[in-house]
Amino acid sequence: MLNKIDIRKEEKQLFDAYGTCLQRVCGKPFYEDFAREKIKHSMQVVGAGNYILKNEKTFQNRSEDYLKLGKLVNLFHDIGRFKEIELLSRNPDSKHNHGYYSYEILKELGYDDLRLLLPVKQHGNLAEALGEDNEFQRIKDTQLKQEVEELYGLVKDADKIANLYLIKHDRRIFKDLFFSGLSDEVKFAPVSAAVQAALENKTLVKNKDRISFSDRLIQILCFVFEIYYKSSFTFILKHDLFANVYEELAKFCPDKKQAAFIKEYISAYILKRYNEM
């Protein structure tokens, strides 16, 4: 059923936003590349999301309309990135919430289903953000609320496993500005206290807390603490998506015993969560 769901009209809406962005940042190579990366990423998230929709028991025997919403949540999750890129091209120091931009753009396009709007709006925030959202709190229909949560988990997982797949196969982490802008001294610096605390508390690492390259690598490993579906863990295990992250941590972390412990800690957590699901 999933393969028969037609989203060509919606794909055009996404590519229109991308095309407009490219026109507005024309002549600024960094922002042109940023936009190209984000349209590619959006389609990769659709692919990752389709894997979850096909393989996760939560989405079995669901209506075509509901499954289409699942595809659209993944397709549109980063449509607001193109507005963000335009604004950054004018003021590189400005701060933006691309999820909220995506939410606003979808409303302007005429979408009003909260099962689409709220997961898109909150996908880039920490897990508690959805529960704290006023619109989400006002939902009285138990089924509707559950479906918002299901699709929120879908886009969060699809976003992560798409990024993890790219990190492994495209070596994206070494093209990351965070890496290329670091001195060797900082690249090989110890794990920061805040990052170590996030690891121990099984929470995501905040961007502001990462200093060394080991911090960045651990931030990626901590993605597993916010995975919602067993099929996502299946994908991670099947493709051994953390293999190169462990390898690089062993190179850049000055405490080799700590690097080895972190590998064991994350690997054990993945298997434990997988077996519990």
Side-chain angles (χ1 to χ4, degrees):
M1 184 193 296
L2 194 65
N3 293 335
K4 296 179 180 178
I5 295 174
D6 187 357
I7 59 169
R8 284 175 294 181
K9 181 193 81 171
E10 292 83 2
E11 285 182 353
K12 183 179 184 304
Q13 290 173 323
L14 177 70
F15 276 84
D16 284 347
Y18 162 64
T20 298
C21 175
L22 271 186
Q23 290 176 356
R24 291 177 178 171
V25 301
C26 184
K28 299 178 180 180
F30 174 83
Y31 296 102
E32 291 176 342
D33 288 344
F34 195 175
R36 292 187 186 102
E37 178 186 323
K38 287 306 169 186
I39 194 65
K40 180 180 178 182
H41 169 71
S42 293
M43 302 315 294
Q44 289 168 332
V45 172
V46 171
N50 285 345
Y51 176 87
I52 299 169
L53 287 168
K54 288 177 182 177
N55 293 283
E56 183 59 42
K57 61 183 179 181
T58 299
F59 301 106
Q60 303 305 305
N61 303 313
R62 305 299 285 269
S63 71
E64 184 173 320
D65 287 344
Y66 183 66
L67 293 177
K68 182 172 182 177
L69 275 175
K71 296 190 80 165
L72 295 186
V73 166
N74 295 320
L75 179 73
F76 283 136
H77 80 289
D78 267 0
I79 193 172
R81 280 287 192 188
F82 302 117
K83 177 177 179 178
E84 177 189 38
I85 292 166
E86 291 175 36
L87 295 172
L88 285 171
S89 73
R90 299 174 203 162
N91 180 3
D93 296 322
S94 55
K95 303 296 182 184
H96 306 279
N97 184 332
H98 72 278
Y100 186 76
Y101 290 156
S102 296
Y103 163 83
E104 287 292 316
I105 290 166
L106 291 178
K107 288 202 298 184
E108 290 169 7
L109 290 171
Y111 295 95
D112 60 4
D113 194 322
L114 292 178
R115 295 174 296 177
L116 171 62
L117 294 174
L118 292 182
V120 165
K121 179 183 180 184
Q122 297 294 353
H123 81 274
N125 298 324
L126 297 177
E128 58 266 25
L130 179 64
E132 295 168 356
D133 188 286
N134 290 332
E135 282 184 288
F136 181 75
Q137 292 176 350
R138 289 197 297 269
I139 298 174
K140 302 301 182 186
D141 185 314
T142 304
Q143 181 66 24
L144 175 60
K145 206 162 195 174
Q146 179 182 322
E147 291 183 350
V148 169
E149 291 176 326
E150 289 172 354
L151 295 177
Y152 173 74
L154 170 68
V155 69
K156 295 279 278 189
D157 278 16
D159 201 8
K160 287 184 180 67
I161 65 175
N163 277 321
L164 289 172
Y165 192 84
L166 192 61
I167 286 166
K168 180 175 182 182
H169 293 280
D170 192 39
R171 305 295 285 171
R172 177 182 176 183
I173 196 165
F174 294 103
K175 301 173 186 177
D176 192 312
L177 291 177
F178 178 83
F179 177 81
S180 60
L182 294 178
S183 66
D184 283 345
E185 181 180 6
V186 176
K187 282 179 185 176
F188 291 92
V191 176
S192 305
V195 172
Q196 181 65 32
L199 183 70
E200 292 173 0
N201 293 324
K202 297 182 175 63
T203 60
L204 298 184
V205 173
K206 297 176 181 177
N207 287 344
K208 68 180 182 63
D209 291 333
R210 65 187 194 188
I211 300 171
S212 66
F213 191 53
S214 291
D215 291 344
R216 176 68 174 111
L217 293 166
I218 292 170
Q219 182 183 45
I220 294 166
L221 294 174
C222 285
F223 281 0
V224 299
F225 299 138
E226 205 183 78
I227 292 288
Y228 288 81
Y229 294 118
K230 185 170 186 173
S231 57
S232 303
F233 281 117
T234 301
F235 190 89
I236 289 169
L237 291 167
K238 179 180 178 181
H239 295 281
D240 200 11
L241 292 186
F242 284 133
N244 68 316
V245 181
Y246 294 141
E247 289 173 8
E248 300 310 327
L249 185 63
K251 294 176 188 175
F252 286 92
C253 182
D255 186 335
K256 303 308 178 187
K257 288 184 178 179
Q258 183 184 28
F261 171 79
I262 291 170
K263 176 182 178 179
E264 292 176 8
Y265 182 78
I266 294 294
S267 298
Y269 176 85
I270 292 172
L271 288 175
K272 180 175 183 293
R273 287 281 289 127
Y274 178 82
N275 290 325
E276 288 173 345
M277 288 177 152

